[in-house]
Amino acid sequence: MTKTSRNSLRDQIEGEIIGGQYLPGQRLDELSLAERFGVSRTPVREALMQLASMGLVEIRPRRGAIVAQIGTERLIQMFEVMAEYESMAGRLAARRHTDADRALISERHAACADAVERNDSARYYEENEAFHFAIYAASHNEFLREQATALHRRLKPYRRLRQRFRNRMHISFAEHQQIVDAIFAMDGEKASEVLRNHIIIQGEQFSDFIASLQMDVQARQAGSGPA
Amino acid sequence: MTKTSRNSLRDQIEGEIIGGQYLPGQRLDELSLAERFGVSRTPVREALMQLASMGLVEIRPRRGAIVAQIGTERLIQMFEVMAEYESMAGRLAARRHTDADRALISERHAACADAVERNDSARYYEENEAFHFAIYAASHNEFLREQATALHRRLKPYRRLRQRFRNRMHISFAEHQQIVDAIFAMDGEKASEVLRNHIIIQGEQFSDFIASLQMDVQARQAGSGPA
DNA sequence: AAAACCAATCCTGCATACAAGAACGGCGAT
DNA sequence: ATCGCCGTTCTTGTATGCAGGATTGGTTTT
């Protein structure tokens, strides 16, 4: 398993996009990246190409690569699909979870509880992620897990701006409790339903700030390169 | 929208993989492909890289690219997710379909009926695909449509071997009728349920011949390069 | 003064060149 | 005779070179 340069670059750049170092709409110059990482343009191009296939960057022929900008409508659609992934994972997890899965979910759920008690919304954000990943794993469908985590990552640059909604933490945790109960009771339909709503509600709340987000993006576009 | 060489190549090679010209496990030599398409290795590499991100080919560092081989377990998982896509599309289509969507679905359904009457299973295979695509479109979730069609294509090399199960055509069509009825009655839950079973049943039938399929793959592996 | 046109520059896309790791075959040793 | 070792060859991975389109700035024209 030799790590090729392009894959390292892909992971690096992906991390920076997800981490918010590069913002949607921002230009990704091949030469700058190549110089910054101390390689030639070739592996950079190949990394960007992969990221384009993943949907994280957009390559416009002869016009360079930019961090993918996701429009309002599409973002809502992606959340709809995300909700379905979660819902499916919950249904499968309820039926298939092992003792180890149960232990891990309990652990993550407890960590969320701890974050709520400390009113640490940043930490809740992280633990929430881990909680959901534990459910993906408990679904025992590796392909689903991959798809769900991929979409999760893809949405992350947009999700992170959501930390403004701090008061949602308590509601979210209450929903987590329902999710855990349903899964542990092996009630797949219940888990499915609660999880779908859990995400859909997030999506609807999203509608609220999506407008402002779009304003951000447009402002950034105007600054670094109009459409 | 200038079509760059790498994207043409990607589509071309993708088509050949989906079409079964290249079989799972088969080697994809950069130089051969480059010569065959009359270009240099660079765009070929970039095309292969994209196909790798899509999961159609597997690139092992320093060891070349092969058509992705999907194991039994993973194939079943992919069908599970496929069933969920269909189920979701059906639920959304029931709620959101327009008159145009309804007309298109009717049209495709009629085409399937025609294929059944003529007992033309090859044509039914094609029309069935179009029928399902019409439902994706009627979901009015473009992202879902993309995900569903992408997975559909990815499964196609394996699906095509299924034409052996010709007697399923009548059962399939009966299920289609239920799907159409549910969607037109705007009964999202019913459409969702019927569609999930429609695909899941296919998946279960798959289990039957997956063993033989795996044997094929292994035989091919032994012939063109062991693991 | 604003808009359009033109030229120079920059960047992308493809081709080619070079280096290094992996597969393959032959040879030798046990 | 079979197994293992070593050198050759082939293929991949990265760097560089070159051509063409896009962008930008200045100039001209209305």
Side-chain angles (χ1 to χ4, degrees):
Chain A
M1 274 299 208
T2 316
K3 59 171 184 177
T4 60
S5 176
R6 64 163 180 273
N7 287 333
S8 308
L9 283 172
R10 169 172 53 75
D11 295 343
Q12 183 76 20
I13 298 172
E14 180 185 359
E16 294 185 357
I17 292 174
I18 291 170
Q21 312 229 119
Y22 286 106
L23 295 171
Q26 191 166 342
R27 192 103 192 288
L28 292 168
D29 181 45
E30 292 178 2
L31 196 57
S32 317
L33 287 167
E35 284 173 1
R36 186 152 75 80
F37 290 108
V39 295
S40 83
R41 281 174 48 220
T42 308
V44 171
R45 281 177 62 76
E46 296 185 343
L48 289 177
M49 208 99 27
Q50 289 187 71
L51 293 171
S53 288
M54 292 187 217
L56 268 167
V57 316
E58 185 183 338
I59 296 180
R60 302 159 304 174
R62 286 262 174 214
R63 299 184 61 201
I66 58 174
V67 178
Q69 337 184 38
I70 308 180
T72 310
E73 193 182 0
R74 172 159 267 252
L75 207 49
I76 291 170
Q77 293 174 354
M78 288 167 80
F79 267 93
E80 264 185 1
V81 172
M82 191 73 231
E84 197 71 18
Y85 284 150
E86 298 271 356
S87 164
M88 178 182 181
R91 180 159 30 78
L92 296 182
R95 296 208 300 254
R96 300 178 180 173
H97 70 272
T98 64
D99 288 348
D101 295 323
R102 185 182 284 244
L104 185 60
I105 290 172
S106 291
E107 192 184 308
R108 299 307 185 202
H109 186 50
C112 284
D114 191 58
V116 171
E117 274 175 33
R118 301 183 189 209
N119 208 37
D120 185 344
S121 64
R123 179 151 170 256
Y124 184 80
Y125 178 77
E126 296 299 329
E127 297 296 351
N128 175 62
E129 210 166 54
F131 174 76
H132 284 278
F133 286 176
I135 294 176
Y136 303 162
S139 77
H140 289 270
N141 183 321
E142 180 65 15
F143 182 71
L144 170 61
R145 200 185 64 74
E146 287 169 19
Q147 295 291 110
T149 53
L151 184 51
H152 190 96
R153 288 151 76 108
R154 210 168 144 187
L155 288 171
K156 198 163 179 177
Y158 296 88
R159 219 188 266 264
R160 50 201 308 284
L161 296 168
R162 204 179 98 251
Q163 299 204 28
R164 305 167 184 174
F165 293 79
R166 313 220 152 160
N167 54 340
R168 220 194 101 68
M169 182 171 64
H170 293 85
I171 302 169
S172 169
F173 181 71
E175 289 167 354
H176 279 203
Q177 186 63 56
Q178 286 187 278
I179 292 163
V180 171
D181 289 346
I183 290 175
F184 286 3
M186 304 216 277
D187 185 344
E189 290 313 311
K190 177 75 176 173
S192 169
E193 180 197 329
V194 177
L195 264 161
R196 182 178 291 133
N197 290 333
H198 181 59
I199 307 298
I200 286 286
I201 286 169
Q202 287 184 4
E204 283 172 1
Q205 293 217 338
F206 254 65
S207 304
D208 296 344
F209 79 79
I210 275 173
S212 63
L213 177 69
Q214 285 306 105
M215 283 173 60
D216 289 357
V217 170
Q218 279 161 17
R220 200 175 310 115
Q221 266 184 284
S224 87
Chain B
M1 270 303 200
T2 315
K3 57 171 185 178
T4 60
S5 177
R6 64 163 177 273
N7 287 333
S8 307
L9 283 172
R10 169 172 53 74
D11 295 343
Q12 183 74 22
I13 298 171
E14 180 185 359
E16 293 186 357
I17 293 173
I18 291 170
Q21 311 228 121
Y22 286 107
L23 295 170
Q26 190 166 343
R27 193 105 191 287
L28 292 169
D29 181 45
E30 292 179 2
L31 197 56
S32 317
L33 288 168
E35 283 173 2
R36 185 152 75 82
F37 290 108
V39 294
S40 86
R41 280 174 49 222
T42 308
V44 171
R45 282 177 63 76
E46 296 182 344
L48 289 177
M49 209 104 22
Q50 289 187 70
L51 292 171
S53 289
M54 293 186 217
L56 269 166
V57 316
E58 186 183 337
I59 296 180
R60 303 159 305 174
R62 287 269 175 207
R63 299 185 61 204
I66 58 173
V67 178
Q69 338 186 35
I70 307 179
T72 309
E73 193 182 2
R74 172 159 266 251
L75 207 50
I76 291 170
Q77 293 174 353
M78 288 168 80
F79 267 93
E80 265 185 359
V81 172
M82 192 72 231
E84 197 71 17
Y85 284 150
E86 297 272 356
S87 164
M88 178 181 181
R91 180 158 31 77
L92 296 182
R95 295 208 300 256
R96 300 178 180 172
H97 71 272
T98 63
D99 288 348
D101 295 322
R102 185 183 284 245
L104 185 60
I105 290 172
S106 291
E107 192 184 309
R108 301 305 185 203
H109 186 50
C112 284
D114 191 59
V116 171
E117 274 176 33
R118 301 184 189 209
N119 207 38
D120 185 343
S121 65
R123 182 155 166 252
Y124 184 80
Y125 178 77
E126 296 299 328
E127 297 296 350
N128 174 62
E129 210 166 55
F131 174 76
H132 284 277
F133 286 177
I135 294 175
Y136 303 161
S139 77
H140 289 270
N141 183 321
E142 181 63 17
F143 182 71
L144 171 61
R145 199 185 64 73
E146 287 170 20
Q147 295 291 110
T149 53
L151 183 52
H152 190 97
R153 288 150 77 107
R154 210 168 144 187
L155 288 172
K156 198 163 177 175
Y158 297 89
R159 218 188 266 265
R160 51 201 307 285
L161 295 168
R162 204 182 96 249
Q163 300 204 25
R164 307 168 184 173
F165 292 79
R166 313 221 151 160
N167 54 339
R168 218 192 101 69
M169 181 171 65
H170 293 85
I171 303 169
S172 170
F173 181 71
E175 289 167 356
H176 280 203
Q177 187 63 55
Q178 286 187 280
I179 292 163
V180 171
D181 290 346
I183 290 176
F184 286 3
M186 304 215 275
D187 185 344
E189 290 314 310
K190 177 73 175 175
S192 169
E193 180 198 329
V194 177
L195 263 160
R196 182 178 291 134
N197 289 334
H198 181 59
I199 308 297
I200 286 286
I201 286 169
Q202 286 184 6
E204 283 172 0
Q205 294 218 337
F206 254 65
S207 305
D208 296 343
F209 78 79
I210 274 173
S212 63
L213 178 68
Q214 285 306 105
M215 282 173 61
D216 288 357
V217 170
Q218 279 161 16
R220 201 174 309 116
Q221 266 184 283
S224 85

